[in-house]
Structure formats: C-alpha cells, structure tokens
Amino acid sequence: VGQMGYRVGDEQVGTHIRSLPVFQVAGQFSRDGYLATLASQGVSPAAFEEERRAALQVEELQAGVLESAFFTPAEFRRFITLEGERREVSVAMLDVSLVSDDVQVGEDDLKQFYESNPGRFESVESVALDFVEARAADLPAATEPSEADLRAIYDENPGRFRTEEQRRARHILIAVDQDRNEAAAAALAAQIKERLTAGEDFAALARELSNDAGSAPSGGDLGWAGRGTFVEAFENALFGLSAGEISEPVKTEFGYHLIQLTELRPGAEKSFEQVRDQLAEEARSTSVQDAFYALTEKMDDAALENPESLQAVAAASGLPVKHIDSFTRAGGGPFGSNRAVINAAFSAALIEGGENSPIVEIEDGHVVFLRVTEHRPVKLRPFDEVREEVEALVRAERAAGLVAERGNALLDRVRAGGDLAALAAAERANFRGPQVVSRVSQDLPEDVVSAVFRAPRPQGEGNVYGGVQMADGGFAVFAVHKVTSGRPDDIPRDQRDARKNILARQAGVAEVTALAVDLRNSASVVIAPGLLEQPTF
C-alpha cells in the first residue's frame, strides 16, 4: 500500500486511536486505559499503532478506489433501458398434475434409481451427547463486601479514580515535504500566525491551509487529549497555552504547527463515597467470577481424571448430566450452531478416543463439558426405509419429463401457426395474457419471467415463442408480443441519481475485489492447498 503512495501520519493514527470507544472513559480518550488494555493483550503501543497505521492505509486505498469508480452516462442509459424494459406476453402453464395418472413406476425402477443415486439417501452424521453445563449467572449471590474491603480497594488504586487534565485543541499543520522545504514551511507558518493575530478565523484557515487531512475538514479540531498523546514538542506547547491562546509555530518531525487551545478540562479526583457503590458492584461481580472460575477448574480436573464418564464432573459441581440424543455437524439442542461445541463433539478425541471434552466455552460465563455416548456415521439408509421417498422422486422426475413432452409439442404447434389460447384450453393449461411484465414481476413464476426476458425481441409484427421447465416440474409455453425499452425520463431525477451512485459503488466494490485478487495472485506468499479447509478440533 505504501508503494502506491498511501501514507498515514502519526497525527492521523493518534486521532483514530483516540476515537476508539474501547480506549475511552466517559466518552473521552484515556491514556491509562489505552496502555492497560494493550498490556492485558500482550501488545506494545508501538506494535498496535503500526498495525492501526497499516489498517488505515488499506482503508485509504479502498476508499480511493471506491471514490474513483464511476458509471458513464452511456452505461447508465443502457442499464435503465434494460432494467426498465417491459414485455407483453401470453403464457400457458401445464401443471404436472395433468400427467400424474400417466406415470407408471415399477419396483425395479425404484431400486435402479435408489442404486444410481446413493448420495440422496444417506443418513446425516450425528452423535448422542452427555453434557454438564455451568453458568456464572446460576451461582448463588455473592457475599456483600465489607466496608473495610471496599476502602482497601479504593486505597490500593490511587490513580484509578483520578482524571487527568484534558485539553481540546485545533492545529494547522504546514508539512515539510518534497514540494516544500523547511524554510518555506517556517515562512508560511509565520505568515499564517500573522493572519491569526490580525483576527482571521483559526478554523477557516485550518480548513484552507492545513496539511493534516484527518483534522483539516473539521477546522483542525483534535478532540480532547491528555498528556502523552502527542509528540513532545507539540505537547509542551499545548500544555503551555491558556484557553483561547494560539501558539507560535511549533516544529515537529511533521512540519510546523500552529496550535489553539479551545477548551480546558481540569483533572479531578472522586472521593470514596462517590465511588463506593461502583466498588461494591465490582466486588460482587469479581466474587461471582472467582467462584465460577474455581468451579470450572474443579470440573475440568474431574473431567480429565475420570475420562470414562461425566459423573465425576457432575459430582464435583453438583450439576446434573444432561443428554442430547441427536447432535449433527449443523448443531442442535440447546447449543444451536455454536462452532466450539460442534468442533469438540466431532473431534477424534471424543469420537474415537471415548474421552470427555476439556472445558468448552460457549460464551463468557457459560461453559460445558461433553461426552459422546454414540456416534452415527454417514451411511446409506436401507431401501425399505426410504422406499416412499424414492417413489416420490421417481414419480416427480417422470411426471416432469411427460409434461415437458406435452409442453414442447404445444410449443411446436404454436410456432406452426396455432392459437396459444385455444391450444392451452385444449391441453387444460393455465393460460394468462396478454399481460405486461417487468424483470421483477411477481405475477408469473420467477423461472418463467427469466425465460421471457432471455428470449429475443420480436421482429416486425410477429411473436417470439419459447418454452421453459418450471421449478415445480411444470412446463410453460410463452409468446412475446411486444417489447418496450425503459426510459430514463420515466424515473424522477433524484431516483436516477441514487441509482447511478449505487451502480458506481458496485463498480467500485468490483474494482476493489479485482485489485485484491490481483495482489494475491502476484504475491509471493503461498497458501498450501486445503490448509484453510482443514477442520479444527
């Protein structure tokens, strides 16, 4: 991405990170929360910021492709001509019930179909499961924490309830780059400072002149920030300003900044009384979580030490062993389609080894231990078991063939000059028409509408005839009498503009997808065949 000219500066990365809700407290960025969250995930700030920089570069590339996509007027007129097309048609539909009495099926036919289509009569792989589940929400209420416990928690976390001073600022960045050397940038920053001193609006100048693409559209606004957010020179200048004051040009690695402090939010410390209820609720929650963790650890040990059944797990937890008679690779029972449960239930350890599962986390505060009591692999069901199903399929297939023969014969007679309405009546077909249909008409079956619009346009005064087998096995014979093209003028301008924007967006998405495919094809990274399709247990 960087080779394509997409760059994301530190200011833009910082603005993005400060906007992430996960790092905010009461709607404002918290540096302490930011560092603590990254530390809990084992990620350094430098690594996270580089990952975010790369992600923003990719987003800029995608946005650039999407925003540059367009749909030409000629293409749009062609689209409207086709999308808005209307066709006048008559249709005769023959239902399979017309030939149901003519279908003859023998026992040998059924057995031959059964033997020729074994995949259609296989059973679904399934297992019978015993399981013991535990939920934190089902544990007894935690003991009420004492006043001394709450006071100790408060005293042990002196910085937690103290908010640091926050400052909101605007800035104008004059970048030093290939088009502007340092001397030129310093001179321009000094000129802008003079204009600001003379009374010109800071936000307006930021929108006009700032090279920070992330903040310039909002008048240079950087939002609320505490110490440690910006580079040292910028931060020192910002925290040396009074509300409303504008700095002298400040040099950083990005160029020269003019900074205006717009608002100041002093730091404050909450008293124990102000946070007591919060501490009590947290203590109760921690107590329940600790109890749940201890319980699941005990269950996990019992499952490992007694692999022959879940009775030891039930005894250790005081929870019952429950049962599901049929659980498939699509899921089932109380677990729905939870992938962790499916992977565990169909793992080799449980099916072949006959073991208990280790702890399986369904969601936070909800775990389960599984044991397969019976495995039913995929197998061909006996003919006697599926005979009625086989007969229904054979009859439907033969009825569709018979009705197609009658439909094609009807189509031949119509093409030879016969009247479609009269011939349809003689065949006891459902006749409709003439009627005007669009590509999205609901009056006719979807497969009939598709066939009608695939047919060529009538030439002169003649009709175009066609036939199609319908999804329900029936057969439709149709005549296209007239075609009227769609007209852009029939659509209000606001709707035309909206459709054109949608089409341009779709074209952009297609271009982004094509770019991704091209990059992948030209990359030197090789993914082993089948690697991503391997099941996980």
Side-chain angles (χ1 to χ4, degrees):
V1 177
Q3 295 177 348
M4 298 180 182
Y6 289 90
R7 300 287 188 273
V8 175
D10 289 351
E11 294 284 354
Q12 193 172 345
V13 173
T15 300
H16 167 70
I17 292 175
R18 290 193 300 274
S19 71
L20 298 176
V22 69
F23 302 132
Q24 294 181 353
V25 176
Q28 300 300 323
F29 175 75
S30 167
R31 181 167 179 78
D32 290 340
Y34 170 63
L35 296 176
T37 300
L38 294 185
S40 69
Q41 302 296 320
V43 179
S44 70
F48 179 74
E49 288 160 15
E50 283 308 306
E51 182 273 329
R52 287 289 83 204
R53 188 190 309 277
L56 289 171
Q57 287 176 333
V58 172
E59 289 177 8
E60 283 201 1
L61 170 60
Q62 292 175 330
V65 176
L66 288 172
E67 293 301 324
S68 65
F70 60 91
F71 216 68
T72 67
E75 290 174 326
F76 186 62
R77 283 194 297 272
R78 176 63 175 162
F79 171 79
I80 293 298
T81 297
L82 293 175
E83 185 197 46
E85 185 177 293
R86 300 292 185 268
R87 295 194 167 201
E88 184 182 287
V89 297
S90 295
V91 182
M93 292 178 285
L94 290 82
D95 191 84
V96 289
S97 62
L98 297 173
V99 298
S100 57
D101 293 340
D102 300 328
V103 175
Q104 302 296 322
V105 177
E107 198 69 13
D108 290 342
D109 298 324
L110 301 183
K111 290 182 178 178
Q112 182 180 353
F113 186 86
Y114 170 79
E115 292 168 358
S116 301
N117 299 275
R120 301 179 72 168
F121 306 106
E122 289 179 341
S123 63
V124 177
E125 182 185 12
S126 68
V127 293
L129 287 177
D130 281 349
F131 66 96
V132 179
E133 65 178 329
R135 299 173 184 265
D138 295 336
L139 293 180
T143 303
E144 188 69 20
S146 68
E147 201 73 10
D149 291 337
L150 297 179
R151 177 66 71 172
I153 296 172
Y154 179 81
D155 292 340
E156 290 168 3
N157 297 273
R160 181 181 171 192
F161 303 105
R162 181 184 303 120
T163 58
E164 299 295 333
E165 177 183 311
Q166 299 278 307
R167 294 191 167 217
R168 187 168 189 173
R170 299 181 184 276
H171 86 138
I172 298 171
L173 170 64
I174 304 303
V176 176
D177 52 29
Q178 59 184 7
D179 298 323
R180 183 189 297 121
N181 61 28
E182 185 170 326
L188 178 56
Q191 293 173 12
I192 296 172
K193 172 63 175 177
E194 291 178 0
R195 294 173 64 179
L196 292 169
T197 302
E200 291 195 47
D201 183 66
F202 193 104
L205 288 177
R207 281 188 286 268
E208 177 188 353
L209 301 172
S210 179
N211 297 131
D212 180 5
S215 67
S218 58
D221 184 37
L222 297 173
W224 289 99
R227 287 191 178 274
T229 303
F230 303 110
V231 295
E232 183 177 2
F234 190 102
E235 181 175 290
N236 290 341
L238 172 60
F239 279 83
L241 296 174
S242 302
E245 187 179 0
I246 299 173
S247 73
E248 295 297 325
V250 177
K251 183 178 181 300
T252 72
E253 60 190 280
F254 310 107
Y256 286 86
H257 307 257
L258 291 159
I259 309 165
Q260 181 184 42
L261 175 62
T262 56
E263 293 181 73
L264 176 64
R265 183 183 291 160
E269 184 171 353
K270 293 183 180 179
S271 67
F272 171 76
E273 288 72 22
Q274 288 176 301
V275 299
R276 184 196 177 286
D277 290 345
Q278 176 186 342
L279 291 174
E281 184 58 37
E282 290 176 358
R284 295 187 198 101
S285 177
T286 300
S287 175
V288 170
Q289 291 300 322
D290 289 346
F292 183 68
Y293 178 76
L295 173 65
T296 55
E297 283 286 291
K298 186 189 301 183
M299 295 170 71
D300 200 23
D301 290 342
L304 179 63
E305 295 167 3
N306 303 273
E308 68 281 354
S309 78
L310 290 175
Q311 291 303 323
V313 178
S317 63
L319 297 168
V321 177
K322 300 178 183 178
H323 184 74
I324 300 175
D325 185 61
S326 181
F327 187 80
T328 72
R329 289 187 181 271
F335 307 122
S337 58
N338 184 277
R339 182 50 53 187
V341 176
I342 293 171
N343 288 342
F346 287 92
S347 66
L350 269 66
I351 291 178
E352 298 172 11
E355 303 173 8
N356 294 329
S357 76
I359 186 170
V360 179
E361 184 174 20
I362 297 176
E363 59 185 350
D364 189 32
H366 184 191
V367 302
V368 65
F369 295 84
L370 308 169
R371 180 177 180 79
V372 172
T373 59
E374 183 183 358
H375 176 229
R376 309 179 191 98
V378 173
K379 66 178 182 179
L380 183 63
R381 291 181 289 166
F383 174 76
D384 291 341
E385 181 183 321
V386 297
R387 186 189 180 286
E388 290 185 3
E389 183 180 341
V390 174
E391 183 175 359
L393 289 170
V394 172
R395 286 188 175 277
E397 188 176 275
R398 293 196 173 179
L402 290 175
V403 82
E405 290 178 7
R406 290 180 60 172
N408 281 309
L410 172 61
L411 177 59
D412 290 340
R413 294 197 297 272
V414 171
R415 282 174 170 163
D419 181 71
L420 179 58
L423 291 171
E427 290 286 345
R428 293 180 294 149
N430 177 13
F431 180 77
R432 298 186 190 178
Q435 67 182 86
V436 176
V437 297
S438 70
R439 294 180 184 272
V440 294
S441 289
Q442 303 294 314
D443 296 337
L444 295 173
E446 183 178 346
D447 36 22
V448 175
V449 174
S450 296
V452 164
F453 278 89
R454 285 197 303 270
R457 290 170 168 248
Q459 300 299 318
E461 298 297 322
N463 297 324
V464 169
Y465 300 100
V468 61
Q469 187 104 44
M470 295 184 289
D472 63 0
F475 195 91
V477 176
F478 60 85
V480 179
H481 309 301
K482 180 181 178 182
V483 174
T484 304
S485 298
R487 289 167 19 97
D489 293 343
D490 293 338
I491 304 174
R493 174 170 291 278
D494 58 339
Q495 294 184 25
R496 292 204 305 271
D497 292 343
R499 290 192 191 186
K500 193 170 183 179
N501 290 335
I502 291 172
L503 290 170
R505 186 75 179 180
Q506 290 173 343
V509 170
E511 290 174 8
V512 169
T513 302
L515 175 61
V517 171
D518 182 66
L519 291 173
R520 179 172 179 173
N521 291 338
S522 61
S524 58
V525 177
V526 177
I527 300 175
L531 177 63
L532 302 181
E533 286 73 37
Q534 293 178 358
T536 56
F537 299 111

